[in-house]
C-alpha cells in the first residue's frame, strides 16, 4: 500500500467532492479515510488514499490534481504519507 495525504481547501461550491473523487476513481486511487468541513463558506477536506494501484507517477497525479483544483477554484495538495509524517513529527 502506498498512502498519500490529499488536502483540498477553498471557497465552498457545489461538486468539489464529486470532482475530486471522480478523478481518484478514474485513476484507481482508493480512498481510505476522508474528513471534510465547511467553516463560514470555506471548504476544507483531508483524504488519506492508496495510490498503489494507479498507473501514473506520483508527480503526474499531483500535477493533475493541482490543475483540477485550479479549474474548480480550490487548492489541492498531495504529499506521500512518509514525508508528511516526518514533517509533522516533533
Amino acid at each position: 500500500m502506498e498512502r498519500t495525504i490529499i488536502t483540498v481547501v477553498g471557497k465552498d461550491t457545489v461538486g468539489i467532492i464529486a470532482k475530486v473523487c471522480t478523478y481518484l476513481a478514474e485513476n484507481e486511487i482508493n480512498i481510505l479515510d476522508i474528513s471534510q468541513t465547511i467553516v463560514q463558506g470555506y471548504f476544507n477536506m483531508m483524504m488519506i488514499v492508496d495510490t498503489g494501484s494507479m498507473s501514473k507517477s506520483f508527480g503526474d497525479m499531483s500535477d493533475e490534481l493541482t490543475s483540477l483544483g485550479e479549474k474548480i477554484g480550490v487548492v489541492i495538495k498531495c504529499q506521500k504519507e512518509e514525508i508528511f509524517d516526518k514533517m509533522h513529527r516533533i
Side-chain angles (χ1 to χ4, degrees), residues 13-51:
T13 58
V14 174
I16 296 171
I17 295 172
K19 290 172 184 160
V20 172
C21 289
T22 297
Y23 174 87
L24 298 176
E26 289 173 349
N27 288 281
E28 298 188 39
I29 299 168
N30 188 38
I31 299 168
L32 303 172
D33 201 354
I34 182 171
S35 172
Q36 67 92 28
T37 58
I38 299 168
V39 177
Q40 295 186 3
Y42 290 94
F43 178 87
N44 183 34
M45 178 168 65
M46 180 175 172
M47 308 171 91
I48 301 173
V49 301
D50 178 8
T51 56

Side-chain angles (χ1 to χ4, degrees), residues 60-74:
D60 287 345
M61 176 204 64
S62 182
D63 291 346
E64 290 173 3
L65 282 170
T66 297
S67 178
L68 173 63
E70 290 170 358
K71 289 179 190 171
I72 62 176
V74 297

Side-chain angles (χ1 to χ4, degrees), residues 66-84:
T66 297
S67 178
L68 173 63
E70 290 170 358
K71 289 179 190 171
I72 62 176
V74 297
V75 175
I76 302 176
K77 302 277 186 183
C78 302
Q79 196 167 38
K80 291 186 177 186
E81 182 183 45
E82 59 269 13
I83 294 171
F84 184 88

